[in-house]
Coordinates of all heavy atoms in Angstrom, one line a residue:
M887 N -12.3 -25.4 49.4 CA -13.1 -24.3 49.2 C -13.9 -24.2 50.5 O -14.4 -25.1 51.1 CB -14.1 -24.7 48.0 CG -15.2 -23.8 47.8 SD -16.4 -24.1 46.4 CE -15.4 -24.1 45.0
P888 N -14.1 -22.9 50.9 CA -14.8 -22.5 52.1 C -16.2 -23.0 52.0 O -16.8 -23.1 50.9 CB -14.6 -21.1 52.3 CG -13.8 -20.5 51.2 CD -13.5 -21.7 50.2
A889 N -16.8 -23.2 53.1 CA -18.3 -23.6 53.1 C -19.0 -22.6 52.4 O -20.2 -23.0 51.6 CB -18.7 -23.8 54.6
S890 N -18.7 -21.3 52.5 CA -19.6 -20.4 51.7 C -19.5 -20.6 50.2 O -20.5 -20.4 49.4 CB -19.3 -18.9 52.0 OG -17.8 -18.8 51.6
G891 N -18.3 -21.0 49.7 CA -18.1 -21.4 48.3 C -18.9 -22.6 47.9 O -19.4 -22.6 46.8
V892 N -18.9 -23.5 48.8 CA -19.7 -24.8 48.5 C -21.2 -24.4 48.4 O -21.9 -24.8 47.4 CB -19.4 -25.8 49.5 CG1 -20.3 -26.9 49.3 CG2 -18.0 -26.2 49.4
S893 N -21.6 -23.7 49.3 CA -23.1 -23.2 49.3 C -23.4 -22.4 48.0 O -24.5 -22.6 47.4 CB -23.4 -22.4 50.6 OG -23.4 -23.2 51.7
A894 N -22.5 -21.4 47.7 CA -22.8 -20.7 46.5 C -22.7 -21.4 45.3 O -23.5 -21.3 44.5 CB -21.6 -19.5 46.5
A895 N -21.9 -22.4 45.2 CA -21.6 -23.3 44.2 C -23.0 -24.2 43.9 O -23.5 -24.4 42.8 CB -20.5 -24.2 44.1
A896 N -23.6 -24.6 45.1 CA -24.8 -25.3 44.9 C -26.0 -24.4 44.5 O -26.8 -24.9 43.7 CB -25.2 -25.8 46.4
I897 N -25.9 -23.1 44.9 CA -27.0 -22.2 44.5 C -26.8 -22.0 42.8 O -27.8 -22.1 42.2 CB -27.0 -20.9 45.2 CG1 -27.3 -21.1 46.7 CG2 -27.8 -19.7 44.5 CD1 -27.1 -19.9 47.5
A898 N -25.7 -21.7 42.5 CA -25.4 -21.6 41.1 C -25.7 -22.7 40.3 O -26.2 -22.6 39.2 CB -23.8 -21.2 40.9
A899 N -25.4 -23.9 40.8 CA -25.7 -25.2 40.1 C -27.3 -25.3 39.8 O -27.8 -25.7 38.8 CB -25.2 -26.4 40.7
R900 N -28.1 -24.9 40.9 CA -29.5 -25.1 40.8 C -30.1 -24.0 39.9 O -31.0 -24.4 39.1 CB -30.1 -24.8 42.2 CG -29.9 -26.0 43.1 CD -30.7 -25.7 44.4 NE -32.1 -26.0 44.2 CZ -33.1 -25.9 45.3 NH1 -32.7 -25.7 46.4 NH2 -34.3 -26.1 45.0
L901 N -29.4 -22.8 39.9 CA -29.9 -21.9 38.8 C -29.6 -22.3 37.5 O -30.3 -21.9 36.5 CB -29.2 -20.4 39.2 CG -29.9 -19.8 40.5 CD1 -29.0 -18.7 40.9 CD2 -31.3 -19.4 40.4
S902 N -28.3 -22.8 37.3 CA -27.9 -23.4 35.9 C -28.8 -24.6 35.5 O -29.1 -24.5 34.3 CB -26.5 -23.9 36.1 OG -25.7 -22.7 36.2
A903 N -29.4 -25.3 36.3 CA -30.2 -26.4 36.0 C -31.5 -26.0 35.5 O -32.2 -26.6 34.7 CB -30.4 -27.3 37.3
V904 N -31.9 -24.7 35.9 CA -33.2 -24.2 35.2 C -33.0 -23.3 34.1 O -33.9 -22.6 33.7 CB -34.1 -23.6 36.3 CG1 -34.6 -24.5 37.4 CG2 -33.3 -22.5 37.1
G905 N -31.7 -23.1 33.6 CA -31.5 -22.4 32.4 C -30.8 -21.1 32.6 O -30.7 -20.4 31.5
F906 N -30.3 -20.8 33.6 CA -29.6 -19.5 33.8 C -28.1 -19.7 33.9 O -27.6 -20.6 34.5 CB -30.0 -18.8 34.9 CG -31.6 -18.4 34.9 CD1 -32.4 -19.1 35.6 CD2 -32.1 -17.5 34.1 CE1 -33.9 -18.8 35.6 CE2 -33.3 -17.1 33.9 CZ -34.2 -17.8 34.6
S907 N -27.3 -18.7 33.4 CA -25.9 -18.7 33.5 C -25.5 -17.9 34.7 O -25.6 -16.7 34.8 CB -25.3 -18.1 32.2 OG -23.9 -18.0 32.2
A908 N -25.0 -18.7 35.7 CA -24.7 -18.0 37.0 C -23.3 -17.5 37.2 O -22.3 -18.3 36.6 CB -25.0 -19.0 38.1
R909 N -23.0 -16.5 37.7 CA -21.7 -15.9 38.0 C -21.3 -16.1 39.5 O -22.2 -15.6 40.3 CB -21.5 -14.5 37.6 CG -21.6 -14.3 36.1 CD -21.5 -12.7 35.7 NE -22.4 -11.9 36.4 CZ -23.6 -11.7 36.1 NH1 -24.3 -12.3 35.1 NH2 -24.3 -10.8 36.7
V910 N -20.2 -16.7 40.0 CA -19.9 -16.8 41.3 C -18.6 -16.1 41.6 O -17.7 -16.1 40.8 CB -19.7 -18.3 41.7 CG1 -19.4 -18.4 43.2 CG2 -21.0 -19.1 41.5
E911 N -18.6 -15.1 42.6 CA -17.5 -14.4 42.9 C -17.1 -14.5 44.5 O -18.0 -14.4 45.3 CB -17.7 -13.0 42.6 CG -17.7 -12.6 41.1 CD -17.6 -11.1 40.8 OE1 -17.3 -10.4 41.7 OE2 -18.3 -10.7 39.7
E912 N -15.9 -14.8 44.7 CA -15.4 -14.8 46.1 C -15.0 -13.4 46.5 O -14.4 -12.9 45.8 CB -14.2 -15.8 46.2 CG -14.6 -17.3 46.0 CD -15.2 -17.9 47.1 OE1 -15.1 -17.3 48.4 OE2 -16.0 -18.9 47.1
H913 N -15.3 -13.1 47.7 CA -15.0 -11.8 48.3 C -14.4 -12.1 49.7 O -14.5 -13.2 50.2 CB -16.1 -10.8 48.5 CG -16.8 -10.4 47.1 ND1 -16.4 -9.5 46.3 CD2 -17.8 -11.2 46.5 CE1 -17.1 -9.5 45.2 NE2 -18.0 -10.5 45.3
D914 N -13.8 -11.2 50.4 CA -13.3 -11.4 51.7 C -14.2 -11.9 52.7 O -13.7 -12.8 53.4 CB -12.7 -10.1 52.3 CG -11.4 -9.6 51.6 OD1 -10.8 -10.4 50.8 OD2 -11.1 -8.3 51.7
R915 N -15.4 -11.4 52.8 CA -16.3 -12.0 53.9 C -17.6 -12.7 53.3 O -18.4 -13.2 54.2 CB -16.9 -10.6 54.6 CG -15.7 -10.0 55.5 CD -16.4 -8.8 56.1 NE -15.4 -8.7 57.2 CZ -15.7 -7.6 58.1 NH1 -16.7 -6.8 58.0 NH2 -14.8 -7.4 59.1
F916 N -17.6 -12.8 52.1 CA -18.9 -13.5 51.5 C -18.5 -14.0 50.1 O -17.6 -13.7 49.5 CB -20.1 -12.5 51.4 CG -19.9 -11.3 50.9 CD1 -19.9 -11.1 49.4 CD2 -19.5 -10.1 51.7 CE1 -19.7 -9.9 49.0 CE2 -19.3 -8.9 51.0 CZ -19.4 -8.8 49.7
T917 N -19.5 -14.8 49.6 CA -19.4 -15.2 48.3 C -20.7 -14.8 47.5 O -21.8 -14.9 48.1 CB -19.3 -16.8 48.2 OG1 -18.1 -17.1 48.9 CG2 -19.1 -17.2 46.6
T918 N -20.7 -14.4 46.3 CA -21.9 -13.8 45.6 C -22.3 -14.8 44.4 O -21.3 -15.4 43.8 CB -21.8 -12.4 45.1 OG1 -20.6 -12.3 44.2 CG2 -21.6 -11.5 46.3
V919 N -23.5 -14.9 44.2 CA -24.0 -15.6 42.9 C -24.8 -14.5 42.2 O -25.7 -13.9 42.9 CB -24.8 -16.9 43.3 CG1 -25.3 -17.5 42.1 CG2 -23.9 -17.8 44.1
E920 N -24.7 -14.4 40.9 CA -25.6 -13.5 40.2 C -26.1 -14.1 38.9 O -25.3 -14.9 38.4 CB -24.9 -12.2 39.7 CG -24.6 -11.4 41.0 CD -23.9 -10.0 40.5 OE1 -23.6 -9.8 39.3 OE2 -23.7 -9.1 41.4
V921 N -27.3 -13.8 38.5 CA -27.9 -14.3 37.1 C -28.8 -13.2 36.6 O -29.3 -12.4 37.3 CB -28.8 -15.5 37.3 CG1 -27.9 -16.7 37.7 CG2 -29.9 -15.4 38.1
E922 N -28.7 -13.0 35.2 CA -29.5 -12.2 34.5 C -30.8 -12.9 34.3 O -30.9 -14.0 33.9 CB -28.8 -11.7 33.2 CG -27.6 -11.1 33.4 CD -27.5 -9.9 34.2 OE1 -28.5 -9.1 34.2 OE2 -26.5 -9.7 35.1
L923 N -31.9 -12.2 34.6 CA -33.2 -12.8 34.4 C -34.0 -12.1 33.2 O -33.8 -10.8 33.2 CB -34.1 -12.6 35.6 CG -33.6 -13.3 36.9 CD1 -34.5 -13.1 38.1 CD2 -33.5 -14.8 36.5
P924 N -34.7 -12.7 32.5 CA -35.6 -12.1 31.5 C -36.6 -11.2 32.0 O -37.0 -11.4 33.3 CB -36.1 -13.3 30.6 CG -36.2 -14.4 31.6 CD -34.9 -14.2 32.6
E925 N -37.3 -10.4 31.2 CA -38.3 -9.6 31.7 C -39.5 -10.2 32.4 O -39.9 -9.7 33.2 CB -38.8 -8.7 30.5 CG -37.8 -7.5 30.0 CD -37.7 -6.5 31.1 OE1 -38.7 -6.2 31.9 OE2 -36.6 -6.1 31.3
S926 N -39.8 -11.4 31.8 CA -41.0 -12.1 32.4 C -40.5 -13.6 32.7 O -39.8 -14.2 31.8 CB -42.2 -12.0 31.6 OG -42.0 -12.7 30.3
L927 N -41.0 -14.1 33.7 CA -40.8 -15.6 34.0 C -42.1 -16.2 34.3 O -42.9 -15.6 35.1 CB -39.8 -15.6 35.2 CG -38.3 -15.4 35.0 CD1 -37.6 -15.5 36.3 CD2 -37.8 -16.4 34.1
P928 N -42.2 -17.4 33.9 CA -43.5 -18.1 34.4 C -43.5 -18.3 35.9 O -42.4 -18.4 36.5 CB -43.5 -19.5 33.5 CG -42.5 -19.3 32.6 CD -41.6 -18.2 33.0
A929 N -44.6 -18.5 36.6 CA -44.6 -18.6 38.0 C -44.0 -19.8 38.5 O -43.2 -19.8 39.6 CB -46.1 -18.8 38.4
D930 N -43.9 -21.0 37.7 CA -43.2 -22.2 38.1 C -41.8 -22.0 38.1 O -41.0 -22.5 39.0 CB -43.7 -23.4 37.4 CG -43.4 -23.3 35.9 OD1 -43.5 -22.1 35.4 OD2 -43.2 -24.3 35.2
L931 N -41.2 -21.1 37.1 CA -39.8 -20.9 37.1 C -39.3 -19.9 38.2 O -38.3 -20.1 38.7 CB -39.5 -20.3 35.8 CG -37.9 -20.3 35.4 CD1 -37.3 -21.7 35.6 CD2 -37.8 -19.8 34.0
W932 N -40.2 -19.0 38.5 CA -40.0 -18.2 39.7 C -39.8 -18.9 40.9 O -38.9 -18.7 41.8 CB -41.1 -17.0 39.8 CG -40.8 -15.7 39.3 CD1 -41.5 -15.1 38.2 CD2 -39.7 -14.8 39.6 NE1 -40.9 -14.0 38.0 CE2 -39.9 -13.7 38.8 CE3 -38.7 -14.9 40.5 CZ2 -39.0 -12.6 38.7 CZ3 -37.8 -13.8 40.5 CH2 -38.0 -12.7 39.7
R933 N -40.7 -19.8 41.2 CA -40.6 -20.9 42.3 C -39.4 -21.5 42.4 O -38.7 -21.6 43.4 CB -41.8 -21.7 42.3 CG -42.1 -22.4 43.6 CD -43.3 -23.5 43.5 NE -44.6 -22.6 43.2 CZ -45.1 -22.6 41.9 NH1 -44.7 -23.5 41.1 NH2 -46.2 -21.9 41.7
E934 N -38.8 -22.0 41.3 CA -37.6 -22.7 41.3 C -36.4 -21.8 41.5 O -35.5 -22.1 42.3 CB -37.3 -23.4 39.9 CG -38.4 -24.7 39.7 CD -38.0 -25.4 38.4 OE1 -36.8 -25.7 38.2 OE2 -38.9 -25.6 37.7
V935 N -36.5 -20.5 41.1 CA -35.4 -19.6 41.2 C -35.4 -19.2 42.7 O -34.4 -19.1 43.3 CB -35.6 -18.3 40.3 CG1 -34.8 -17.3 40.8 CG2 -35.4 -18.7 38.8
L936 N -36.6 -18.9 43.3 CA -36.5 -18.5 44.7 C -36.2 -19.7 45.6 O -35.6 -19.5 46.5 CB -38.0 -18.0 45.1 CG -38.3 -16.7 44.5 CD1 -39.8 -16.4 44.7 CD2 -37.4 -15.6 44.8
E937 N -36.5 -20.9 45.3 CA -36.0 -22.0 46.0 C -34.5 -22.3 46.0 O -33.9 -22.7 46.9 CB -36.7 -23.4 45.5 CG -38.1 -23.4 46.0 CD -38.8 -24.7 45.3 OE1 -38.3 -25.4 44.7 OE2 -40.1 -24.8 45.6
A938 N -34.0 -21.8 44.7 CA -32.6 -22.0 44.7 C -31.8 -21.0 45.6 O -30.8 -21.3 46.1 CB -32.1 -21.7 43.1
V939 N -32.2 -19.8 45.7 CA -31.6 -18.8 46.5 C -32.0 -18.8 48.0 O -31.5 -18.1 48.8 CB -31.7 -17.3 45.9 CG1 -31.1 -17.4 44.5 CG2 -33.1 -16.8 45.9
A940 N -32.9 -19.6 48.5 CA -33.5 -19.7 49.7 C -32.5 -20.0 50.7 O -32.6 -19.6 51.9 CB -34.7 -20.6 49.8
D941 N -31.4 -20.8 50.3 CA -30.4 -21.1 51.3 C -29.3 -20.0 51.4 O -28.4 -20.1 52.4 CB -29.7 -22.4 50.8 CG -30.5 -23.7 51.0 OD1 -31.5 -23.5 51.8 OD2 -30.3 -24.4 50.1
A942 N -29.4 -18.9 50.7 CA -28.3 -17.9 50.8 C -28.7 -17.0 52.1 O -29.7 -17.1 52.6 CB -28.5 -17.0 49.7
D943 N -27.8 -16.3 52.6 CA -27.9 -15.4 53.7 C -28.7 -14.1 53.4 O -29.5 -13.8 54.2 CB -26.6 -15.0 54.3 CG -25.9 -16.2 54.9 OD1 -26.5 -16.8 55.9 OD2 -24.7 -16.4 54.6
R944 N -28.6 -13.8 52.1 CA -29.4 -12.6 51.6 C -29.5 -12.8 50.1 O -28.6 -13.4 49.5 CB -28.6 -11.3 51.8 CG -28.4 -11.0 53.3 CD -27.6 -9.5 53.4 NE -26.3 -9.6 52.8 CZ -25.3 -10.2 53.5 NH1 -25.4 -11.0 54.6 NH2 -24.0 -10.0 52.8
F945 N -30.7 -12.3 49.6 CA -30.7 -12.3 48.1 C -31.8 -11.1 47.7 O -32.4 -10.7 48.5 CB -31.3 -13.6 47.6 CG -32.7 -14.0 48.1 CD1 -33.8 -13.7 47.4 CD2 -32.8 -14.8 49.1 CE1 -35.0 -14.0 47.8 CE2 -34.1 -15.3 49.6 CZ -35.2 -14.9 48.9
G946 N -31.7 -10.8 46.5 CA -32.6 -9.7 46.0 C -32.6 -9.8 44.5 O -31.9 -10.5 43.9
L947 N -33.3 -8.7 43.9 CA -33.5 -8.5 42.6 C -33.2 -7.0 42.3 O -33.7 -6.1 42.9 CB -34.9 -8.9 42.1 CG -35.1 -8.7 40.7 CD1 -34.3 -9.7 39.8 CD2 -36.6 -8.9 40.3
L948 N -32.2 -6.9 41.4 CA -31.9 -5.5 41.0 C -32.3 -5.2 39.6 O -32.1 -6.0 38.6 CB -30.2 -5.3 41.0 CG -29.7 -3.9 40.5 CD1 -30.3 -2.7 41.3 CD2 -28.3 -3.9 40.4
A949 N -33.3 -4.3 39.4 CA -34.0 -4.1 38.2 C -33.8 -2.6 37.7 O -34.1 -1.7 38.5 CB -35.5 -4.4 38.2
T950 N -33.1 -2.5 36.6 CA -32.9 -1.2 36.1 C -33.3 -1.0 34.6 O -33.2 -2.1 34.0 CB -31.4 -0.7 36.2 OG1 -30.6 -1.4 35.4 CG2 -30.9 -0.7 37.6
S951 N -33.6 0.1 34.1 CA -33.9 0.2 32.7 C -32.7 0.1 31.8 O -32.7 -0.3 30.7 CB -34.5 1.6 32.4 OG -33.7 2.6 32.8
L952 N -31.5 0.3 32.4 CA -30.2 0.3 31.6 C -29.7 -1.2 31.6 O -29.2 -1.6 30.5 CB -29.3 1.1 32.2 CG -29.4 2.6 32.2 CD1 -28.4 3.3 32.9 CD2 -29.6 3.1 30.8
N953 N -29.7 -1.9 32.7 CA -29.1 -3.3 32.7 C -30.0 -4.4 32.9 O -29.5 -5.6 33.0 CB -28.1 -3.4 33.9 CG -27.0 -2.2 33.8 OD1 -26.5 -2.0 32.8 ND2 -26.6 -1.7 34.9
G954 N -31.3 -4.1 32.7 CA -32.2 -5.3 32.9 C -32.4 -5.7 34.4 O -32.4 -5.0 35.3
R955 N -32.5 -7.1 34.5 CA -32.8 -7.6 36.0 C -31.8 -8.7 36.3 O -31.5 -9.6 35.6 CB -34.2 -8.3 35.9 CG -35.3 -7.2 35.6 CD -36.8 -7.7 35.6 NE -36.9 -9.2 35.6 CZ -38.0 -9.7 36.0 NH1 -39.1 -8.9 36.4 NH2 -38.2 -11.0 35.9
T956 N -31.2 -8.3 37.5 CA -30.1 -9.2 38.0 C -30.6 -9.8 39.4 O -30.9 -9.0 40.3 CB -28.8 -8.5 38.2 OG1 -28.4 -8.0 36.8 CG2 -27.7 -9.4 38.7
L957 N -30.6 -11.1 39.5 CA -30.9 -11.7 40.8 C -29.6 -12.0 41.4 O -28.7 -12.4 40.8 CB -31.6 -13.1 40.5 CG -31.9 -13.9 41.7 CD1 -33.0 -13.3 42.6 CD2 -32.2 -15.3 41.4
W958 N -29.5 -11.6 42.7 CA -28.3 -11.8 43.5 C -28.4 -12.5 44.7 O -29.6 -12.4 45.3 CB -27.5 -10.4 43.8 CG -28.3 -9.6 44.4 CD1 -29.2 -8.4 43.9 CD2 -28.5 -9.3 45.8 NE1 -29.9 -7.8 45.0 CE2 -29.3 -8.4 46.1 CE3 -27.9 -10.0 46.9 CZ2 -29.8 -8.0 47.4 CZ3 -28.3 -9.7 48.2 CH2 -29.1 -8.6 48.4
A959 N -27.5 -13.2 45.2 CA -27.5 -14.0 46.3 C -26.2 -13.9 47.1 O -25.1 -13.9 46.4 CB -27.9 -15.4 46.1
V960 N -26.1 -13.7 48.3 CA -24.9 -13.6 49.2 C -24.9 -14.8 50.1 O -25.9 -15.0 50.9 CB -24.8 -12.3 49.8 CG1 -23.7 -12.2 50.7 CG2 -24.7 -11.1 48.8
V961 N -23.7 -15.4 50.3 CA -23.6 -16.5 51.3 C -22.3 -16.0 52.1 O -21.1 -15.8 51.6 CB -23.3 -17.9 50.7 CG1 -23.0 -18.8 51.8 CG2 -24.3 -18.3 49.8
D962 N -22.6 -15.6 53.4 CA -21.5 -15.2 54.3 C -20.6 -16.2 54.6 O -20.8 -17.4 54.7 CB -22.1 -14.5 55.6 CG -23.0 -13.5 55.5 OD1 -22.6 -12.6 54.5 OD2 -23.9 -13.2 56.1
K963 N -19.3 -15.8 54.7 CA -18.2 -16.8 55.2 C -18.2 -16.7 56.7 O -18.6 -15.7 57.4 CB -16.9 -16.3 54.7 CG -16.7 -16.3 53.2 CD -15.3 -16.0 52.7 CE -15.2 -16.2 51.3 NZ -14.0 -15.7 50.6
A964 N -17.7 -17.9 57.3 CA -17.7 -18.0 58.7 C -16.8 -17.0 59.3 O -15.8 -16.6 58.7 CB -17.2 -19.4 59.1
V965 N -17.3 -16.4 60.4 CA -16.5 -15.5 61.3 C -15.6 -16.3 62.2 O -16.0 -17.2 62.9 CB -17.4 -14.5 62.0 CG1 -16.6 -13.6 63.0 CG2 -18.4 -13.8 61.1
P966 N -14.3 -15.9 62.2 CA -13.3 -16.7 63.1 C -13.8 -16.6 64.6 O -14.3 -15.6 64.9 CB -12.0 -16.0 62.9 CG -12.2 -14.8 62.2 CD -13.6 -14.8 61.6
T967 N -13.4 -17.7 65.3 CA -13.8 -17.6 66.7 C -12.8 -16.5 67.4 O -11.8 -16.2 66.8 CB -13.6 -19.0 67.4 OG1 -12.3 -19.4 67.2 CG2 -14.6 -20.0 66.8
T968 N -13.0 -16.1 68.6 CA -12.3 -15.1 69.3 C -10.8 -15.5 69.3 O -9.9 -14.6 69.1 CB -12.7 -15.0 70.7 OG1 -14.1 -14.7 70.6 CG2 -12.0 -13.8 71.4
G969 N -10.5 -16.8 69.6 CA -9.0 -17.3 69.6 C -8.4 -17.1 68.4 O -7.1 -17.1 68.3
D970 N -9.0 -17.1 67.2 CA -8.4 -17.1 65.9 C -8.3 -15.8 65.3 O -7.7 -15.6 64.2 CB -9.2 -17.9 64.9 CG -9.2 -19.4 65.4 OD1 -8.3 -19.8 66.1 OD2 -10.2 -20.1 65.0
V971 N -8.8 -14.8 66.0 CA -9.0 -13.4 65.3 C -7.6 -12.8 65.1 O -7.3 -12.2 64.0 CB -9.8 -12.4 66.2 CG1 -9.7 -11.0 65.7 CG2 -11.2 -12.8 66.3
G972 N -6.6 -12.9 66.0 CA -5.3 -12.4 65.9 C -4.4 -13.1 65.0 O -3.3 -12.7 64.7
G973 N -4.8 -14.3 64.6 CA -3.8 -15.2 63.8 C -3.0 -16.0 64.8 O -3.0 -15.7 66.0
P974 N -2.1 -16.8 64.3 CA -1.3 -17.8 65.1 C -0.5 -17.0 66.1 O -0.2 -17.4 67.2 CB -0.4 -18.5 64.1 CG -1.1 -18.2 62.8 CD -2.0 -17.1 63.0
S975 N 0.1 -15.9 65.7 CA 1.0 -15.2 66.7 C 0.3 -14.5 67.8 O 1.0 -14.1 68.9 CB 1.8 -14.1 65.9 OG 1.0 -13.2 65.3
R976 N -0.9 -14.4 67.8 CA -1.6 -13.7 68.7 C -2.4 -14.7 69.7 O -3.1 -14.3 70.7 CB -2.7 -12.8 68.2 CG -2.1 -11.7 67.3 CD -1.5 -10.7 67.9 NE -2.5 -9.6 68.1 CZ -2.2 -8.4 68.5 NH1 -1.0 -8.2 68.9 NH2 -3.3 -7.6 68.7
Q977 N -2.4 -15.9 69.4 CA -3.1 -17.0 70.2 C -2.4 -17.1 71.6 O -1.3 -17.1 71.7 CB -3.4 -18.3 69.4 CG -4.2 -18.1 68.2 CD -4.3 -19.5 67.5 OE1 -3.7 -20.5 67.8 NE2 -5.1 -19.5 66.5
R978 N -3.2 -17.6 72.6 CA -2.6 -17.8 73.8 C -2.5 -19.3 74.1 O -3.1 -20.1 73.6 CB -3.6 -17.3 74.9 CG -3.6 -15.9 74.8 CD -4.7 -15.2 75.9 NE -5.0 -14.0 75.3 CZ -5.8 -13.2 76.0 NH1 -6.2 -13.5 77.1 NH2 -6.2 -12.1 75.5

């Protein structure tokens, strides 16, 4: 599992530990974690949620009247070094 997947799994585990069902998805350049949040959260639970996503590269809250509130976090995958960009056939 790439390092981004390990970091995302750790974030998901922390969110699950405080009672949320986390979804983790692998993408080409990043891994995402999402959880649905209730309309209101006690301050201590907000603190735990924010501490869980603090290690992500980006995170935010999407709130709509149709879908409720979704907390999302993104962990970027490592960018290959210059020598690895073209793959094995392109290396010098």
